[in-house]
Amino acid sequence: MGTISDIKSSAQLLKERVDNVSALGPEVKKNSGGVEAAGVQVQRVNASLDLVHTQILMLKTSVENANAHIQILTENWEDVNHLNAQIPGLKKDLDKASVLNTKVRGLQSSLENINKLLRQQEPPSKPAPALVPRRCLTVRTAIICLVLALAASILLQATLYPWFMGTISDIKSSAQLLKERVDNVSALGPEVKKNSGGVEAAGVQVQRVNASLDLVHTQILMLKTSVENANAHIQILTENWEDVNHLNAQIPGLKKDLDKASVLNTKVRGLQSSLENINKLLRQQDDILQMVSQGWRYFQGNFYYFSRIVKTWYSAQQFCLSRGAHLTSVTSEGEQEFLYKTAGGLVHWIGLTKAGTEGDWTWVDDTPFDKVQSKRFWIPGEPNNNGNNEHCANIRVSSLRSWNDAPCDNQFLFICKRPYISAEP
Ligand code: MMA
Ligand code: CA
């Protein structure tokens, strides 16, 4: 019995441990849900990061474009600086040209004065020879001076004009170059503006990406907390699992014990059943003994009472009823044999009497009367209804053929019959 008790307490311990592990089930399920939600969040974050990556690539391209334009701008700016450096020289050349221009204008004015004077010297008529010789000398001197001045002017113009024109042409082409460069720089304006807009948009995108990354950071922190919780639970589960493993290791031994217990249990049940049967039999025996002690005989499931006093058929039946019985019926040859042998050749009333308008033989305990089968139990020649007053039957002789019909008011010994009904527990 010590082993059974050990098995029981071990099984109880095992059950409690398994209950503990089972109790953790919903918690684990909850965490699994959290981890799934975290997975979804990680997918969202990945999608956000993909978007951020794409935006960074776009940003990179924009910055590269901007750099290329800045390179071009820097080169153009160097050209402009180079041109700017030439401007003081050009300005000096321009100042020189201005001085020359003033001089040319002065010479032109002088030339016009000379021309005017020459037109005034030409004779309108021919009174010239009338001039005095002194006046003639002065005019000649003036003419010589003028011719000299004119020659000097022509020489000066012939020398300076090509240089002057060359310088002017240089200035013009330089100005043209400068203009083109400036146009180039101006043309870059909208491009620069556009790039500036792109950079601003990129800045906004960077801010958004930063906000997204903040969100991602928050989600990662939440995820971390969830994972830490899950880890704590896993730790508990692992510990419990170790306990379970330890208990599992005990299971084969417990199983063997259980098998033994099962075998013992089967044997105990068998013994219990046997014991119940014995109890039942003992109770039956007790019942039988009690009945027998009161004068009843037991035969094949029925008790029979063979009276020691005589009564009429009806009084005998009343006696039997008072004992929970009826005057006996006879349904087999074995029963008939038991009855006539026990009766010992003395006349005993049995429970057979005539009833109904036809006066057919009937059993008083309501057993159906089999007329054909019962023929072998009558004394040959009976029933003869002697004196037309024989309506009850008795066992008269010690033989299989023992029945005789006789007047019901005659007093004979009698046989009661009571079925044995064992009181089931
Ligand atoms: C007695 C009586 C009858 C029975 C005859 C048989 C004279 O009457 O017992 O019932 O039939 O005997 O001889
Ligand atoms: Ca008779």
Side-chain angles (χ1 to χ4, degrees):
M1 287 314 280
T3 306
I4 298 287
S5 175
D6 284 346
I7 291 165
K8 272 188 176 173
S9 61
S10 293
Q12 181 62 25
L13 204 67
L14 186 63
K15 190 185 170 292
E16 281 171 12
R17 296 294 183 129
V18 169
D19 283 351
N20 281 343
V21 174
S22 295
L24 285 167
E27 193 70 18
V28 170
K29 215 170 171 185
K30 207 176 84 187
N31 281 331
S32 165
V35 169
E36 275 176 23
V40 172
Q41 283 180 335
V42 165
Q43 281 184 343
R44 282 183 191 163
V45 169
N46 270 339
S48 292
L49 286 178
D50 282 350
L51 191 66
V52 167
H53 185 64
T54 309
Q55 287 173 337
I56 283 165
L57 285 179
M58 284 163 70
L59 203 59
K60 201 185 163 202
T61 308
S62 293
V63 167
E64 279 171 1
N65 284 339
N67 272 340
H69 288 301
I70 284 164
Q71 180 69 21
I72 292 161
L73 276 175
T74 306
E75 284 167 12
N76 284 326
W77 194 244
E78 280 167 9
D79 287 349
V80 168
N81 278 338
H82 186 66
L83 288 169
N84 267 344
Q86 292 179 5
I87 282 171
L90 286 169
K91 210 175 171 185
K92 276 181 186 170
D93 289 347
L94 212 69
D95 286 348
K96 283 179 188 171
S98 182
V99 169
L100 284 171
N101 204 17
T102 309
K103 284 181 180 173
V104 168
R105 276 180 199 276
L107 286 171
Q108 211 170 13
S109 174
S110 298
L111 211 64
E112 277 172 10
N113 282 334
I114 289 164
N115 278 335
K116 195 176 166 185
L117 285 169
L118 281 174
R119 274 197 301 276
Q120 285 174 356
Q121 295 258 323
E122 278 173 15
S125 53
K126 271 256 189 215
L131 286 171
V132 287
R134 186 170 166 82
R135 199 179 169 189
C136 181
L137 188 74
T138 307
V139 168
R140 278 183 186 178
T141 305
I143 289 166
I144 289 163
C145 284
L146 279 169
V147 168
L148 280 171
L150 194 64
S153 172
I154 288 162
L155 192 72
L156 202 65
Q157 282 190 40
T159 311
L160 286 174
Y161 188 74
W163 171 84
F164 176 70
M165 286 312 283
T167 304
I168 293 292
S169 175
D170 284 351
I171 290 165
K172 271 188 177 173
S173 62
S174 291
Q176 181 62 28
L177 206 67
L178 188 62
K179 189 180 173 292
E180 282 171 8
R181 296 295 180 132
V182 168
D183 284 350
N184 280 342
V185 171
S186 294
L188 286 167
E191 192 71 18
V192 169
K193 211 172 174 183
K194 210 174 84 186
N195 283 331
S196 166
V199 168
E200 274 176 25
V204 172
Q205 284 180 334
V206 165
Q207 280 183 342
R208 281 183 193 159
V209 168
N210 271 339
S212 291
L213 285 178
D214 283 350
L215 192 66
V216 166
H217 184 64
T218 308
Q219 286 173 337
I220 283 167
L221 284 180
M222 283 163 70
L223 202 61
K224 200 188 163 203
T225 309
S226 292
V227 167
E228 279 170 359
N229 284 340
N231 271 341
H233 287 302
I234 285 165
Q235 180 67 19
I236 293 165
L237 276 176
T238 306
E239 284 165 14
N240 282 324
W241 194 245
E242 280 166 12
D243 288 347
V244 167
N245 277 339
H246 182 64
L247 290 168
N248 267 346
Q250 295 181 358
I251 283 172
L254 288 170
K255 211 175 172 186
K256 277 182 187 169
D257 290 345
L258 213 67
D259 286 345
K260 284 179 189 168
S262 182
V263 169
L264 285 171
N265 203 20
T266 307
K267 283 181 183 171
V268 167
R269 276 177 200 277
L271 288 171
Q272 205 169 9
S273 178
S274 298
L275 214 64
E276 279 168 12
N277 280 336
I278 288 166
N279 270 337
K280 193 174 162 186
L281 286 169
L282 279 173
R283 273 197 300 277
Q284 287 178 4
Q285 295 253 329
D286 194 56
D287 288 347
I288 292 164
L289 275 172
Q290 205 170 347
M291 294 291 280
V292 167
S293 72
Q294 290 167 8
W296 294 77
R297 288 167 183 270
Y298 180 78
F299 178 77
Q300 290 184 353
N302 289 288
F303 287 111
Y304 298 88
Y305 181 75
F306 291 80
S307 75
R308 299 183 183 268
I309 55 167
V310 296
K311 285 182 183 292
T312 64
W313 187 93
Y314 183 78
S315 290
Q317 168 61 7
Q318 288 302 115
F319 178 91
C320 292
L321 281 175
S322 73
R323 302 289 193 277
H326 291 282
L327 282 172
T328 189
S329 57
V330 184
T331 57
S332 73
E333 208 168 293
E335 190 178 14
Q336 170 70 353
E337 191 179 348
F338 165 73
L339 290 173
Y340 76 75
K341 281 183 177 172
T342 309
L346 300 173
V347 179
H348 286 78
W349 283 123
I350 61 172
L352 195 57
T353 185
K354 289 176 190 169
T357 49
E358 300 293 318
D360 293 324
W361 291 103
T362 55
W363 293 114
V364 75
D365 65 1
D366 289 334
T367 300
F369 181 75
D370 190 333
K371 196 175 176 180
V372 176
Q373 284 294 317
S374 298
K375 259 195 156 33
R376 54 188 166 155
F377 300 140
W378 289 104
I379 294 168
E382 304 296 340
N384 59 1
N385 193 19
N386 190 42
N388 207 27
N389 190 35
E390 296 184 326
H391 308 311
C392 293
N394 54 45
I395 287 176
R396 185 177 168 187
V397 293
S398 187
S399 161
L400 199 63
R401 293 170 163 271
S402 61
W403 295 355
N404 176 44
D405 59 343
C408 296
D409 290 333
N410 288 1
Q411 294 198 340
F412 295 116
L413 297 172
F414 54 89
I415 307 166
C416 297
K417 177 184 179 183
R418 189 177 111 175
Y420 174 63
I421 302 157
S422 71
E424 291 293 335

